[in-house]
Amino acid sequence: MKLQLIAVGHKMPNWITEGFTEYAKRMPRDFALTLTELKPDKRISARTPQQVMSEEADRILAAIPDGARVLALDERGANWTTMKLAENMKNWQIDGRETVFIIGGTDGLDPRIKQRADQLLQLSAMTMPHGMVRVLLAEQLYRAVSIINNHPYHRE
């Protein structure tokens, strides 16, 4: 099963890139994690946040593989525990579809992305920098796989 993170934003600080890369390389082959970075649209006064989100949505939608399961990170999404994530990942592994997680840009996600998503998922009720979300999500995916594989990384 492939896991892909599509994130609006590029030129992240080294610690963000290193953190994501560290967890991605820890993932076993049967849960390979990749990152697709999309350059954010320029925010100029002549464009509304809705216009920016719409243009970003075009690029996000184009990056989603056909038939993929899509989880969009959204502050109003479901608030899963790590155990719930692991349970879902185990079920997803059975159907073999690629699973895509989406992190939107500064203005959030266009409604088209939310409609395309199979699930809206909240990483935290707190506001976080988008780069940090990459690292936290990668860590949680690694932790969920550790749970699936009965690895002692996670302790209940």
Side-chain angles (χ1 to χ4, degrees), residues 38 52-63 110 112-113:
L38 302 176
V52 171
M53 285 188 300
S54 179
E55 290 176 17
E56 290 173 349
D58 292 339
R59 292 197 314 281
I60 292 169
L61 291 168
D110 184 83
R112 290 180 295 150
I113 301 298

Side-chain angles (χ1 to χ4, degrees), residues 4-152:
Q4 179 184 16
L5 173 56
I6 298 173
V8 176
H10 71 304
K11 298 182 182 177
M12 291 289 130
N14 286 342
W15 68 270
I16 296 288
T17 303
E18 291 167 5
F20 178 86
T21 302
E22 177 62 30
Y23 285 108
K25 76 179 181 185
R26 290 184 187 187
M27 297 292 281
R29 238 183 223 151
D30 53 338
F31 286 100
L33 175 61
T34 61
L35 172 65
T36 301
E37 289 183 314
L38 302 176
K39 186 176 179 181
D41 280 9
K42 292 188 178 179
R43 298 181 65 170
I44 56 175
S45 60
R47 297 175 62 213
T48 66
Q50 290 76 23
Q51 289 171 316
V52 171
M53 285 188 300
S54 179
E55 290 176 17
E56 290 173 349
D58 292 339
R59 292 197 314 281
I60 292 169
L61 291 168
I64 298 171
D66 290 339
R69 173 183 302 99
V70 175
L71 290 92
L73 274 69
D74 184 81
E75 62 194 8
R76 291 170 211 72
N79 188 5
W80 290 353
T81 64
T82 306
M83 293 298 287
K84 175 76 173 176
L85 176 62
E87 177 185 315
N88 280 295
M89 288 177 69
K90 194 170 187 175
N91 291 331
W92 300 338
Q93 189 178 26
I94 294 167
D95 78 17
R97 289 170 52 202
E98 186 163 351
T99 299
V100 175
F101 294 86
I102 298 173
I103 301 172
T106 303
D107 295 304
L109 290 170
D110 184 83
R112 290 180 295 150
I113 301 298
K114 293 178 184 182
Q115 290 169 355
R116 168 59 182 90
D118 296 287
Q119 178 75 51
L120 296 179
L121 187 60
Q122 177 192 116
L123 193 57
S124 171
M126 296 180 182
T127 302
M128 291 183 240
H130 289 192
M132 186 175 289
V133 171
R134 294 178 188 193
V135 178
L136 291 173
L137 179 59
E139 190 279 337
Q140 285 299 295
L141 292 170
Y142 174 71
R143 188 177 292 261
V145 169
S146 296
I147 291 167
I148 292 167
N149 293 328
N150 297 310
H151 189 275

